[in-house]
Amino acid sequence: MRIGDLEFGDRPLFLAPMEDVSDPPFRILCKRYGADMLYTEFVSSSGLLHDVEGSHQKLEIFNEERPIGIQVWGGEIDEVRRATPMVDAVNPDVIDINFGCPVRKVVSKDGGAGILRCVPKMEKITEAVIEEASRPVTVKTRLGWDEDSIQIVDVARMLEDVGIAALTVHARTREQQYKGEARWKWLRKIKEEGVRDIPLVGNGDGLDPERIDKMFDETGVDAVMIGRGAIGNPWIFRDARVYMETGDIPPPPSWEERVQVVAEHLSMKCEWLGERTGVLEMRKNYSGYFKGFRNASKLRHQLMQPESKEGVLDVMLNFKPDAPDIQIPAARLPDRPTKTKKASLPSGDGAPASTKVDAAAAGLPTSD
């Protein structure tokens, strides 16, 4: 498979561009575990032009990540045209246009999947990026706006004729968001009747090695782009590669390896975003990282509490995943005496020994 001058081996695996997920710390980990191509979070062309906070930071890439594509979005032709040289100047391997994001605040501006309501404008935006870019331009899109407006085969032909170097299709409509099953039959149709000389990258429901392999087999796509399946699970690239080559899935990472990777991810995220923001944004990853371990829900709850990096690390390093659940006995008074004589209130230094409640044994807090 080839995108411009980039050569890939058989059945390459790409990391999807995901907002608040696909930042350098996460991309570096995915690269380590076998991602063949990385994409940045999507950056707003308007944000670049108006110097919106955080927009230019999304353009920062590292040599360790290559090959890498920067994804840009925008619904105004002139804005996208003027922003493209800014993206081009940081020397990504590819510039990718986001015609697939289903989020309302994006589609309301004809960005992302919103452009699928106006294919002629989609064509003009693509032409504008290609004219201003000095490197390959690719597109990521969806099947259509809704069930009644799917024209992805014609759209694929149009985009190839305009000059894109590769096409990625998420096999759902915008109306579906991420609900229901991705419809891979459309990927097969696009491959057979849409694109001719450019690669087709499949996206949607590549959540585990078996389904990734199945997508290749059933659709004939040239590459698979992995999104949600990689969140908290950078090992999916390694596992999918091993499965496709041997038919076996490697054993899951040990507890020690998971803690080490989470600690590294957290440290890099804090360095990238600042400690407080890094700690808060890291929280969305814990569910994936510790899925399947005993007491995982308890650990996730504890990891949501600290607001410092050291606090999070302290929780992880002192957590014992195989420890039995702690059982706290219900605090209760002792049974009433069987004698008919009325019980007397304690006097002096307290109740008789036989009626005292052992606070520690009952699970009640004890005073100093």
Side-chain angles (χ1 to χ4, degrees):
M1 175 187 163
R2 184 185 183 94
I3 299 178
D5 294 331
L6 300 175
E7 292 279 0
F8 298 94
D10 185 43
R11 294 189 167 195
L13 304 172
F14 293 178
L15 172 67
M18 294 179 283
E19 183 69 0
D20 295 329
V21 175
S22 302
D23 58 6
F26 184 61
R27 298 196 305 256
I28 288 170
L29 291 173
C30 290
K31 185 70 174 182
R32 176 188 302 169
Y33 286 101
D36 296 292
M37 177 80 172
L38 307 173
Y39 286 88
T40 67
E41 303 170 82
F42 56 84
V43 59
S44 164
S45 56
S46 176
L48 291 175
L49 294 173
H50 297 95
D51 202 23
V52 173
E53 183 179 2
S55 293
H56 286 273
Q57 186 182 31
K58 291 182 179 180
L59 299 181
E60 295 185 34
I61 55 179
F62 299 87
N63 286 330
E64 292 83 354
E65 302 180 76
R66 295 188 184 276
I68 185 168
I70 292 178
Q71 191 183 71
V72 63
W73 76 272
E76 296 302 323
I77 299 170
D78 183 60
E79 282 190 342
V80 177
R81 182 188 300 276
R82 290 188 292 125
T84 297
M86 297 182 181
V87 179
D88 197 76
V90 302
N91 197 33
D93 296 287
V94 164
I95 296 177
D96 189 70
I97 310 173
N98 183 335
F99 289 146
C101 177
V103 176
R104 182 178 300 176
K105 68 178 182 179
V106 173
V107 302
S108 65
K109 301 175 182 178
D110 279 351
I115 201 66
L116 290 167
R117 296 171 295 185
C118 186
V119 173
K121 188 176 183 181
M122 181 187 203
E123 181 178 11
K124 294 296 184 183
I125 289 176
T126 307
E127 288 176 340
V129 175
I130 291 174
E131 289 170 3
E132 297 295 331
S134 65
R135 62 203 71 251
V137 173
T138 60
V139 161
K140 184 173 189 284
T141 189
R142 286 181 172 239
L143 299 179
W145 176 256
D146 56 25
E147 192 67 26
D148 297 325
S149 62
I150 295 177
Q151 47 185 325
I152 187 61
V153 172
D154 293 335
V155 167
R157 291 174 182 166
M158 176 271 290
L159 291 170
E160 183 171 4
D161 289 341
V162 168
I164 67 169
L167 174 66
T168 300
V169 177
H170 183 133
R172 289 183 174 90
T173 64
R174 187 273 169 179
E175 184 179 53
Q176 285 183 273
Q177 301 273 339
Y178 298 97
K179 300 174 184 176
E181 291 186 356
R183 290 178 284 176
W184 292 353
K185 66 178 183 179
W186 279 103
L187 297 176
R188 169 64 70 177
K189 192 173 182 66
I190 299 164
K191 183 64 179 175
E192 293 178 347
E193 303 176 22
V195 297
R196 298 175 292 274
D197 298 318
I198 63 172
L200 175 65
V201 182
N203 179 229
D205 288 353
L207 301 174
D208 54 54
E210 294 95 331
R211 279 182 278 191
I212 292 167
D213 185 53
K214 188 176 181 181
M215 186 189 293
F216 276 115
D217 289 339
E218 290 189 1
T219 69
V221 293
D222 300 287
V224 168
M225 181 175 282
I226 304 170
R228 290 173 294 160
I231 298 176
N233 184 26
W235 300 276
I236 192 172
F237 297 97
R238 176 199 64 189
D239 293 352
R241 177 62 58 199
V242 172
Y243 180 78
M244 290 189 293
E245 292 176 352
T246 69
D248 297 320
I249 299 177
S254 65
W255 171 259
E256 290 74 19
E257 183 180 359
R258 287 180 188 272
V259 170
Q260 182 179 7
V261 169
V262 174
E264 184 178 3
H265 191 173
L266 172 67
S267 296
M268 290 192 293
K269 210 164 182 65
C270 289
E271 181 181 354
W272 179 251
L273 298 172
E275 183 168 358
R276 177 169 173 76
T277 302
V279 167
L280 295 178
E281 285 206 4
M282 189 65 188
R283 291 175 177 176
K284 65 172 67 73
N285 295 279
Y286 297 136
S287 179
Y289 272 127
F290 297 112
K291 182 179 180 180
F293 277 90
R294 184 176 182 179
N295 296 324
S297 61
K298 184 181 296 183
L299 173 59
R300 289 195 298 270
H301 175 73
Q302 293 181 15
L303 290 173
M304 296 297 178
Q305 310 311 311
E307 296 186 359
S308 69
K309 181 180 75 171
E310 292 304 319
V312 174
L313 293 176
D314 184 64
V315 168
M316 281 197 302
L317 295 175
N318 288 285
F319 190 82
K320 305 299 182 184
D322 295 325
D325 292 334
I326 300 173
Q327 299 296 326
I328 301 177
R332 57 184 294 273
L333 292 171
D335 294 335
R336 287 184 177 276
T338 57
K339 295 181 180 180
T340 58
K341 183 179 178 180
K342 184 177 179 180
S344 60
L345 292 173
S347 60
D349 61 351
S354 61
T355 61
K356 285 185 179 180
V357 177
D358 186 332
L364 295 173
T366 57
S367 58
D368 292 334

